[in-house]
Amino acid sequence: PAHAYAVIGTEGVDGQYIHGVDYGPIASIIAAGGPVRRWSAKPLTSVEQCRDDRQTIALGAASRWVLSRARVAIVGLGGGGSLVAEQLATMGVGDLVLVDDDTLGDVNMSREALVSWEDVGRFKVHAIKDALGKCPNVEVTAIAERFPGPDSYTELASADIIVACLDSAHSRDEVNRLSRRFMVPLV
């Protein structure tokens, strides 16, 4: 079977088709439905380019759409998890679930991303959620509980991908069990 992906602009279309072993750029798209419209292959204008055009070049034209609809859960928001949260939000992931029961201490400040000294004493998930609130089009759910807890278990089971940034072997094992049980990919 053939399939394709495309980004349609006001004046043109850009994308790729795949049919068996044959693949290449889309020459045109015709939309059949009132009214019939045709888009020819043409580069998108600078207005239609989004803030992440380099990412689109690397991952393909459909990446923007896929990422904006993705739900990624991050368990553990220490030095690694806070950086992962920042990168996923700026890449355009539309829905992030943050899980950690730890509060920020002065010992965390040298390795935590997105937080400041004013956040010392707050739950990591709340401080990072507030910081990510500045990223456009990102919905953030903050769960301040140790995994597995009732809220975090439910939220992780409904994620598209889980990223485990944990330093406890027991917690990593529990996340792995949930991942296998609900067939959610685990990084």
Side-chain angles (χ1 to χ4, degrees), residues 31-116:
V36 173
R37 180 142 184 228
R38 179 184 179 109
W39 291 272
S40 299
K42 189 175 187 183
L44 300 177
T45 67
S46 62
V47 173
E48 292 162 329
Q49 295 290 328
C50 75
R51 63 184 164 90
D52 47 15
D53 58 350
R54 285 185 181 183
Q55 173 181 302
T56 302
I57 291 167
L59 301 176
S63 65
R64 231 179 303 156
W65 182 84
V66 171
L67 287 172
S68 71
R69 285 154 183 77
R71 183 162 213 253
V72 180
I74 304 167
V75 186
L77 289 163
S82 61
L83 289 169
V84 169
E86 179 181 30
Q87 290 295 307
L88 291 175
T90 57
M91 282 179 65
V93 170
D95 192 359
L96 290 174
V97 176
L98 310 178
V99 179
D100 197 313
D101 70 333
D102 198 10
T103 57
L104 287 164
D106 56 357
V107 298
N108 303 115
M109 300 313 289
S110 64
R111 61 185 180 273
E112 287 285 329
L114 302 170
V115 299
S116 67

